[in-house]
Amino acid sequence: MSFSGFPPEAFAFFHQLEANNTRAWWLENKATYDRCIRGPMEALIAEVDPRFQPLRVFRPNRDVRFASDKSPYKTHCGAYGESEGGAGYYVHVSAEGLLVASGYYQMARDQLVRYREAVDDELTGAELERIVAAVPRAKAVVRPSDSLKTAPRGFAKDHPRIDLLRGKGLITSRDAPTAAWMSTKKARAKVEEVWRAADLVNSWLDAHVGPSMEPPDERDLRQPRAAGVMR
């Protein structure tokens, strides 16, 4: 199957799922999910530029073990991959449209230490500010993720880069409302456009933060970690 976009039925499916999030409804409509959503998503991630691969499609089932909302299914379909340098790539389709993101989301403790040191540094911190300012807002927005309400310990509240320091991650993203181009091959180019817009930000993160060196059992293993909009 080659990628030709997400058909209008994909967005209608999620609208209906939001109102009928039950196992019975899901099983009755699973063929639509496979044909109009999962199939196109798998085709999309197989055809994107190889440097963004490999990606995998997340399961549609929600983990409700510790959730107050026991709805069994996610109201979006997402895919995620991670570069050797540590930056993540994410895309998901939902009733609202298409969400594309890239970067570092929930950094592990050792990553966060390196990130804050680099943001605090006059040279590397100023470099990041210039890179963020240069990302075309028409293509994507760069923002900290999971930000603290105040300055992290050891940093002044009036630090010139306090907004960046308060974040526990940094992502480049575009949240596009439902549009006709999403049902065409152009959707792949739009996804890649956001990921390419993130190149310089990700290069900075890879150079100054990089992957976590902590053993898996010591990390915050909530996944995915690379984009705050990854759900």
Side-chain angles (χ1 to χ4, degrees), residues 17 20-30 61 71-73:
L17 177 61
N20 302 277
N21 201 325
T22 65
R23 187 171 185 271
W25 187 91
W26 178 270
L27 293 176
E28 184 179 346
N29 293 274
K30 186 176 182 298
N61 308 79
S71 301
Y73 301 103

Side-chain angles (χ1 to χ4, degrees), residues 5-231:
F6 295 96
E9 292 93 332
F11 307 101
F13 175 93
F14 284 121
H15 274 297
Q16 295 170 32
L17 177 61
E18 289 174 355
N20 302 277
N21 201 325
T22 65
R23 187 171 185 271
W25 187 91
W26 178 270
L27 293 176
E28 184 179 346
N29 293 274
K30 186 176 182 298
T32 300
Y33 173 83
D34 291 338
R35 175 173 53 86
C36 299
I37 299 167
R38 187 176 183 95
M41 181 64 77
E42 290 178 339
L44 170 64
I45 64 175
E47 294 180 19
V48 295
D49 191 311
R51 72 187 181 93
F52 303 126
Q53 297 183 20
L55 299 98
R56 68 179 181 89
V57 180
F58 289 111
R59 295 178 59 196
N61 308 79
R62 295 181 64 243
D63 183 352
V64 299
R65 289 174 297 173
F66 308 107
S68 56
D69 177 6
K70 299 299 183 182
S71 301
Y73 301 103
K74 299 171 186 173
T75 54
H76 63 273
C77 175
Y80 173 75
E82 191 168 295
S83 70
E84 290 185 4
Y89 297 98
Y90 179 76
V91 57
H92 89 212
V93 61
S94 69
E96 286 72 39
L98 202 62
L99 178 62
V100 189
S102 181
Y104 286 45
Y105 177 38
Q106 293 176 333
M107 295 185 193
R109 288 172 296 182
D110 61 330
Q111 290 177 304
L112 198 52
V113 169
R114 295 194 294 272
Y115 169 74
R116 287 174 176 161
E117 288 177 348
V119 172
D120 182 45
D121 183 88
E122 285 304 316
L123 292 178
T124 54
E127 178 189 12
L128 179 59
E129 282 188 304
R130 290 192 295 271
I131 290 171
V132 169
V135 175
R137 291 189 66 85
K139 294 182 179 179
V141 175
V142 184
R143 62 180 177 83
S145 60
D146 198 18
S147 293
L148 298 173
K149 294 182 178 180
T150 187
R153 184 178 300 176
F155 296 94
K157 294 181 179 179
D158 60 351
H159 191 288
R161 290 178 290 280
I162 190 59
D163 287 344
L164 290 170
L165 285 169
R166 286 172 52 232
K168 295 183 181 179
L170 190 65
I171 59 171
T172 304
S173 65
R174 182 186 179 195
D175 198 350
T178 307
W181 57 262
M182 294 177 187
S183 298
T184 72
K185 294 180 179 180
K186 292 181 181 179
R188 189 188 80 180
K190 296 286 189 179
V191 170
E192 293 180 329
E193 181 178 66
V194 176
W195 289 345
R196 290 194 178 99
D199 276 348
L200 291 179
V201 177
N202 288 347
S203 293
W204 187 95
L205 289 167
D206 290 348
H208 300 291
V209 180
S212 174
M213 297 295 105
E214 293 181 354
D217 61 346
E218 293 183 11
R219 299 183 202 173
D220 179 354
L221 293 181
R222 290 170 295 173
Q223 290 290 341
R225 292 182 292 109
V229 286
M230 301 180 187
R231 298 191 288 272

